[in-house]
Amino acid sequence: MPEKNVFQRIIDREIPATIEHEDEQCLAFRDIAPQAPTHILVIPKRPLRSLADAAAEDAALLGHMLTVIRTLAEKLGLQTGYRVVLNCGPDAGQSVDHLHFHLLGGRSFGWPPG
Ligand code: 5GP
């Protein structure tokens, strides 16, 4: 049995996290090393390693997660804007092999990203 990654352990409540939203499809919780005043990770509950592994049948799940992000941004008062990031693969800096969106807000962001 392969070792569980850290996000699967958060889903299974084996390690603590500050959870902001949970439903049958996804979980949203505060990033342990925030890069902005608001930094939340939104992950699917089912194991999906990265966007590169997503298939056509994952479209509804991905759309649902973006809707959750929009609702969270509203709830957390990010009216002046926010950034949504999904790192896919090593060149993008993906460090946990469980697909996740970053929701970042509470400051302004530069472009292009580093
Ligand atoms: P990535 O670099 O893969 O796009 O993002 C992974 C994110 O997971 C990083 O921002 C990192 O701070 C966060 N992270 C890693 N381990 C933990 C953890 O144990 N708890 C929480 N809440 N976030 C974590």
Side-chain angles (χ1 to χ4, degrees), residues 6-7 10 15-18 29-35 39 41 85-88 92-98 100 102:
V6 69
F7 291 173
I10 289 173
I15 56 175
T18 304
F29 54 91
R30 298 264 168 188
D31 196 291
I32 204 169
Q35 301 301 310
H39 187 171
L41 300 169
V85 173
L86 187 154
N87 293 320
C88 179
Q94 181 176 359
S95 63
V96 179
D97 285 338
H98 187 118
H100 48 282
H102 298 253

Side-chain angles (χ1 to χ4, degrees), residues 16 42 44 62-63 69 72 78 90 106:
V42 182
L62 294 168
I69 287 171
L72 274 173
L78 304 179

